[in-house]
């Protein structure tokens, strides 16, 4: 059920349905005034004395995002906000996204190419989490839609959980807890160890991996790490000679790698066999990284002494769905429902970070830290009209844009250009009337390869 969050609800007026044009036609979407406009829902351009009214920009926030996100939008002047506590079924998501200009999601909402095909007015996507696997980034890029995320805001929360689990595993707490729940009483020091002096092996020495190392070292642990890139170590952490070296020396192995084709099932039976017998494994990265069946077998045999798993290859879509895993029933395993970053502090920080990026793009055109889009950091444009042009990355576009300004006798105050392999992004500041700016935008929109055009007053 939707929470009351703005003026737009289920009864909001929608664009008239029509046929779906080819993918090439989809790439000819236009942005009228400060809002992207799809030719399938073409509306007449209306001169505005200011940017497109913010109360007409529809912001859709799904999956119970932190109130800090809503507060950020409201503080920036956006009032047309609708929030949902959960993800939406695909049909409903398609219906909602059709009239949405900015959408915010977490990990459960799947913005596939089919869903994005319905997003006729969408200008930006915010992933209020670290990962962006739930978005078809190529499809979004082809439509000229930047995607923003929060790669740093929950770093501390994940790192604290990992170190806490390392302590619990070294003490044998999962087994002892399970026995107590069954009425048992196993008061013994056998198999119970301090973490001080033990080796924690960190696979993936990025933002989270480095934080895990800092906290672990503060507890007196020896920190060993492995990464496919050369990384500068923090504190007394040391790079291993390779993955096999790390596995052979570590009392605890913790994974912090992204989900890519190269990392799918990267930790399977072969890697487990190279671990110290009885060492512990922690996975708070991505569910596809570990071969769960191989881990279950190793837990039964004793090759792995215990494990803590927060992410799974297949996860329930909602809290009411059943959780199924080969790891169920293993007393020496800590299972958590993908909550590594689920602290109030982390969610508040994520809400602030991603909302700020979306607002800055909508207000200013800046695409700094977009994951699928040319990154342009822009100054303010007080006293100037700002024209934005998103196009397929092909030769001659910039020269055609400059020819238009030259023919119209309009002086350019500032110009910014960045390109991706597939998309180019040009930002032009000019001193001109609204009528001139509208005329220039219309001419820019007619350039072959144009995806979107936009004016910021």
């Amino acid at each position: 059920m939707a929470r009351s969050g703005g003026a737009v609800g289920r009864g909001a007026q929608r664009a008239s349905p029509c046929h779906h044009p080819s993918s090439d036609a989809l790439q000819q979407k236009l942005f009228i005034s400060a809002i992207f406009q799809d030719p399938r829902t073409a509306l007449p351009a209306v001169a505005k004395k200011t940017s497109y009214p913010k109360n007409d920009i529809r912001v859709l926030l799904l999956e119970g995002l932190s109130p800090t996100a809503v507060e950020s939008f409201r503080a920036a002047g956006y009032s047309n906000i609708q929030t949902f506590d959960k993800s939406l079924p695909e049909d409903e998501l398609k219906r909602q996204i059709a009239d949405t200009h900015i959408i915010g999601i977490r990990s459960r909402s799947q913005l596939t190419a089919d869903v994005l095909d319905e997003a006729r007015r969408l200008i930006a996507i915010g992933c209020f989490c670290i990962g962006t696997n739930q978005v078809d980034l190529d499809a979004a890029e082809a439509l000229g839609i930047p995607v923003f995320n929060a790669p740093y805001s929950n770093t501390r929360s994940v790192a604290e959980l990992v170190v806490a689990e390392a302590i619990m595993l070294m003490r044998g707490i999962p087994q002892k807890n399970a026995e107590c729940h069954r009425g048992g009483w196993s008061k013994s020091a056998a198999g119970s160890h301090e973490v001080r002096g033990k080796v924690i092996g960190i696979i993936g020495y990025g933002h989270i991996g480095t934080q895990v190392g800092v906290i672990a070292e503060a507890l007196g642990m020896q920190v060993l790490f492995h990464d496919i890139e050369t990384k500068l170590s923090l504190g007394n952490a040391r790079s291993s000679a390779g993955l096999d070296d790390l596995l052979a020396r570590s009392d605890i192995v913790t994974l912090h790698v992204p989900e890519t084709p190269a990392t799918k099932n990267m930790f399977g039976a072969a890697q487990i066999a190279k671990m110290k017998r009885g060492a512990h494994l922690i996975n708070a990265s991505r569910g596809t990284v570990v071969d769960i069946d191989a881990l279950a077998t190793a837990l039964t045999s004793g090759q792995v002494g215990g494990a803590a798993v927060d992410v799974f290859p297949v996860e329930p879509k909602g809290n009411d769905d059943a959780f199924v895993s080969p790891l169920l029933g293993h007393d020496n395993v800590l299972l958590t429902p993908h909550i590594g970053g689920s602290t109030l502090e982390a969610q508040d920080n994520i809400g602030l970070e991603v909302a700020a990026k979306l607002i800055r793009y909508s207000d200013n055109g800046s695409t700094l830290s977009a994951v699928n889009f040319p990154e342009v950091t822009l100054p303010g444009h007080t006293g100037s009209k700002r024209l934005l042009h998103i196009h397929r990355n092909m030769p001659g576009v910039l020269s055609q844009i400059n020819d238009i300004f030259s023919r119209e006798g309009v002086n350019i105050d500032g110009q910014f250009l960045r390109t991706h392999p597939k998309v180019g992004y040009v930002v032009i500041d000019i001193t001109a009337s609204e009528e001139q700016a509208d005329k220039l935008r219309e001419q820019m929109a007619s350039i072959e390869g144009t995806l979107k055009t936009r004016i910021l007053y």
Side-chain angles (χ1 to χ4, degrees):
M1 178 176 287
R3 292 180 290 166
S4 176
V8 175
R10 294 178 178 268
Q13 185 177 359
R14 300 180 62 210
S16 300
C18 55
H19 71 283
H20 292 268
S22 68
S23 59
D24 283 341
L26 282 176
Q27 293 177 336
Q28 300 301 319
K29 294 185 176 184
L30 303 179
F31 203 159
I32 293 179
S33 187
I35 286 294
F36 291 126
Q37 179 63 47
D38 190 297
R40 294 172 293 180
T41 56
L43 299 173
V46 178
K48 303 287 183 181
K49 292 184 178 180
T50 61
S51 296
Y52 193 91
K54 290 186 179 181
N55 60 346
D56 288 341
I57 296 177
R58 186 184 184 219
V59 180
L60 177 64
L61 304 177
L62 305 180
E63 303 184 61
L65 301 183
S66 170
T68 59
V70 177
E71 292 164 3
S72 294
F73 278 107
R74 291 199 183 282
Y78 295 81
S79 58
N80 194 344
I81 305 168
Q82 186 173 17
T83 63
F84 285 83
D85 289 330
K86 298 181 179 179
S87 58
L88 301 176
E90 184 173 305
D91 289 346
E92 177 65 8
L93 180 57
K94 288 181 176 180
R95 192 183 76 80
Q96 291 287 344
I97 206 171
D99 295 324
T100 293
H101 302 104
I102 298 172
I103 187 170
I105 61 173
R106 295 183 68 187
S107 58
R108 289 176 183 166
S109 298
Q110 299 297 308
L111 298 186
T112 63
D114 286 342
V115 171
L116 292 174
D117 184 51
E118 302 295 322
R120 301 178 177 91
R121 298 179 180 178
L122 196 65
I123 68 172
I125 297 168
C127 295
F128 286 72
C129 50
I130 292 178
T132 56
N133 302 92
Q134 66 276 39
V135 179
D136 189 323
L137 297 179
D138 290 335
E141 181 183 22
L143 295 171
I145 303 170
V147 178
F148 301 92
N149 67 335
Y152 314 120
S153 292
N154 67 359
T155 297
R156 179 70 183 194
S157 294
V158 178
E160 285 188 3
L161 177 64
V162 168
V163 174
E165 289 175 333
I167 295 172
M168 300 278 276
L169 290 170
M170 290 298 296
R171 292 294 299 271
I173 298 301
Q175 302 94 308
K176 296 181 185 301
N177 175 68
E179 289 183 45
C180 285
H181 276 287
R182 291 194 294 265
W185 190 256
S186 180
K187 189 178 186 302
S188 170
S192 184
H193 302 276
E194 295 180 351
V195 295
R196 181 176 53 178
K198 303 304 185 294
V199 177
I200 183 167
I202 302 170
I203 301 175
Y205 198 61
H207 300 294
I208 295 175
T210 52
Q211 281 291 299
V212 169
V214 168
I215 299 172
E217 187 178 340
L219 294 172
M221 301 188 75
Q222 298 178 44
V223 179
L224 196 64
F225 68 88
H226 169 72
D227 200 289
I228 59 173
E229 298 179 359
T230 301
K231 296 291 183 70
L232 179 66
S233 62
L234 299 182
N236 293 315
R238 293 292 179 264
S239 177
S240 66
L243 180 58
D244 290 353
D245 176 52
L246 180 144
L247 296 176
R249 295 165 58 188
S250 299
D251 300 296
I252 301 164
V253 175
T254 179
L255 300 165
H256 300 286
V257 298
E259 183 177 54
T260 67
T263 63
K264 185 174 182 179
N265 285 331
M266 67 166 283
F267 211 89
Q271 290 70 38
I272 291 172
K274 294 174 181 177
M275 294 173 62
K276 279 185 179 181
R277 182 170 181 80
H280 305 286
L281 178 65
I282 300 174
N283 184 21
S285 59
R286 291 291 181 265
T288 57
V289 171
V290 174
D291 183 335
I292 293 292
D293 291 318
L295 175 58
T297 299
L299 287 162
T300 301
S301 70
Q303 171 61 22
V304 174
V309 183
D310 186 54
V311 289
F312 304 88
V314 179
E315 298 181 356
K317 293 183 178 181
N319 291 344
D320 296 331
D321 298 331
F323 169 60
V324 178
S325 172
L327 300 178
L328 293 178
H330 288 269
D331 284 356
N332 53 346
V333 179
L334 284 167
L335 300 175
T336 49
H338 204 150
I339 56 168
S342 296
T343 62
L344 293 178
E345 292 86 353
Q347 293 308 307
D348 286 348
N349 289 336
I350 289 171
L352 292 170
E353 180 182 348
V354 181
K357 293 177 180 179
L358 294 169
I359 291 166
R360 183 169 174 79
Y361 177 62
S362 179
D363 289 355
N364 173 269
S366 175
T367 54
L368 181 65
S369 81
V371 299
N372 68 328
F373 208 77
E375 291 189 65
V376 178
T377 303
L378 299 170
H381 57 101
T382 303
S384 297
K385 306 292 188 298
R386 174 163 287 176
L387 283 78
L388 314 180
H389 187 271
I390 303 170
H391 55 274
R392 292 198 294 271
N393 188 9
M394 52 194 293
V397 173
L398 184 59
S399 63
Q400 292 181 69
I401 290 174
N402 290 333
D403 284 346
I404 290 172
F405 285 84
S406 179
R407 288 197 307 268
E408 294 298 325
V410 175
N411 191 46
I412 295 176
D413 300 331
Q415 188 174 72
F416 310 84
L417 167 67
R418 288 297 298 271
T419 60
H420 257 201
K422 296 181 180 179
V423 172
Y425 183 39
V426 182
V427 180
I428 307 112
D429 289 347
I430 59 173
T431 300
S433 66
E434 293 177 20
E435 291 74 15
Q436 285 178 306
D438 286 338
K439 184 177 180 181
L440 290 166
R441 188 208 60 77
E442 290 174 3
Q443 293 185 56
M444 290 167 62
S446 68
I447 295 174
E448 182 183 358
T450 298
L451 300 177
K452 299 178 187 292
T453 59
R454 179 183 179 193
I455 301 174
L456 291 177
Y457 294 118

